[in-house]
Amino acid sequence: MSAPRKPTRLERIHTDAGAEVAVLTFDDGGLNLFDRAMFDALTADLDALSAEPPRAVLLRAEGKVNSAGVDVHVFDGLTDEQGAELWRTLFAELIHQIEALPCPVVYAAHGLTLTAAFEIALACDIILAAPKAKFGLVEIVVGLTPSMGGPQRLAERAGSGRARELVMTGGTYDAATMLSWGVVNAVHEDVDTAARELVARLADGPTRAHAATKRIVEAWRSGGVAHADSVTPDVSGSLFGTEDLRGAVRSFLDEGPGKARYAGR
């Protein structure tokens, strides 16, 4: 008897300059529903990425949709405490792991992106979308509110009023609307190609500086401008000990801007 089909696929590829990019694809052969198998597969993939970080990550999906959301069987029969523990686990194993990766993370939405998939997208650094992509946090259909960080991360990008509207109405919103709200960074006809080109460019860049940017923004998210200011000297100062900064400064002085090559060290 053959083993069950793994609903995710993790590939490590390299740019022309030799930088490693990880491409994590959701592909269960259907609607990419987040059932226990999908959650477990994604957790294992993120554990692998955390153990050996690449220089950029792309999250994408195969099939007609990115994801039709969570398999409601996951919620059936849970007690109050079991529900709370589910969310604690998903924050720790998925959302916070994505945000903690020390490299840029890009999400490419080519189609419908609902509930858990949208919340995962919101944990990424950059979201790209195809014109036909639609987004929604539709948990009200089962009497729930999005609980993997969607409302707060949507509020961070679009404002609290927009976040409450999207969640409370349970509507789906097109890519153009999400772009105008600042949730999506860009819309591309061929979003997969655009996303691959972007992650390659980011991977070829100063990876340690990108990680520092993420740490400074995270400090702002948790404590505002004053807290971000307080951590920036040490976070940014440590970059002066990196091979990439020293080499780029020398390249700039010797050859002018735009000639530096980065190794991620």
Side-chain angles (χ1 to χ4, degrees), residues 42-95:
L42 180 55
T43 297
D45 291 335
L46 290 172
D47 285 345
L49 291 174
S50 298
E52 295 183 57
R55 290 177 61 188
V57 177
L58 170 61
L59 274 63
R60 59 181 297 279
E62 292 285 357
K64 184 177 180 180
V65 302
N66 276 70
S67 175
V70 176
D71 183 340
V72 177
H73 289 95
V74 171
F75 304 138
D76 190 28
L78 294 183
T79 65
D80 296 8
E81 184 49 43
Q82 287 171 330
E85 186 57 30
L86 171 66
W87 303 127
R88 292 187 194 101
T89 299
L90 293 178
F91 269 120
E93 295 182 352
L94 301 186
I95 302 303

Side-chain angles (χ1 to χ4, degrees), residues 13-243:
I13 60 178
H14 291 84
T15 69
D16 291 342
E20 186 179 73
V21 172
V23 181
L24 200 169
T25 300
F26 302 98
D27 183 14
D28 72 355
L31 297 175
N32 293 321
L33 288 175
F34 279 79
D35 56 10
R36 178 44 59 190
M38 181 69 85
F39 281 127
D40 288 347
L42 180 55
T43 297
D45 291 335
L46 290 172
D47 285 345
L49 291 174
S50 298
E52 295 183 57
R55 290 177 61 188
V57 177
L58 170 61
L59 274 63
R60 59 181 297 279
E62 292 285 357
K64 184 177 180 180
V65 302
N66 276 70
S67 175
V70 176
D71 183 340
V72 177
H73 289 95
V74 171
F75 304 138
D76 190 28
L78 294 183
T79 65
D80 296 8
E81 184 49 43
Q82 287 171 330
E85 186 57 30
L86 171 66
W87 303 127
R88 292 187 194 101
T89 299
L90 293 178
F91 269 120
E93 295 182 352
L94 301 186
I95 302 303
H96 293 162
Q97 282 232 72
I98 291 170
E99 293 178 329
L101 288 171
C103 64
V105 183
V106 176
Y107 189 97
H110 70 273
L112 187 67
T113 306
L114 296 182
T115 67
F118 190 15
E119 294 185 282
I120 286 167
L122 290 166
C124 296
D125 298 305
I126 298 172
I127 303 173
L128 303 184
K132 293 183 179 179
K134 289 185 179 293
F135 301 83
L137 297 174
V138 299
E139 283 84 349
I140 60 167
V141 298
V142 293
L144 186 64
T145 191
S147 303
M148 286 170 56
Q152 52 268 47
R153 285 161 180 77
L154 184 62
E156 179 186 24
R157 291 174 183 249
S160 64
R162 297 294 196 191
R164 284 176 285 187
E165 174 193 333
L166 189 144
V167 172
M168 291 180 180
T169 63
T172 57
Y173 292 72
D174 61 26
T177 300
M178 292 289 93
L179 179 64
S180 71
W181 286 10
V183 176
V184 164
N185 293 85
V187 176
H188 299 276
E189 286 290 342
D190 185 350
V191 70
D192 198 63
T193 296
R196 289 176 183 274
E197 290 175 350
L198 175 60
V199 294
R201 178 159 63 88
L202 293 170
D204 286 340
T207 308
R208 296 281 296 275
H210 292 328
T213 297
K214 293 181 68 163
R215 289 181 62 190
I216 291 168
V217 172
E218 177 56 34
W220 167 78
R221 294 173 75 192
S222 63
V225 171
H227 181 48
D229 287 351
S230 73
V231 306
T232 296
D234 288 338
V235 171
S236 184
S238 68
L239 297 175
F240 286 92
T242 66
E243 176 185 317

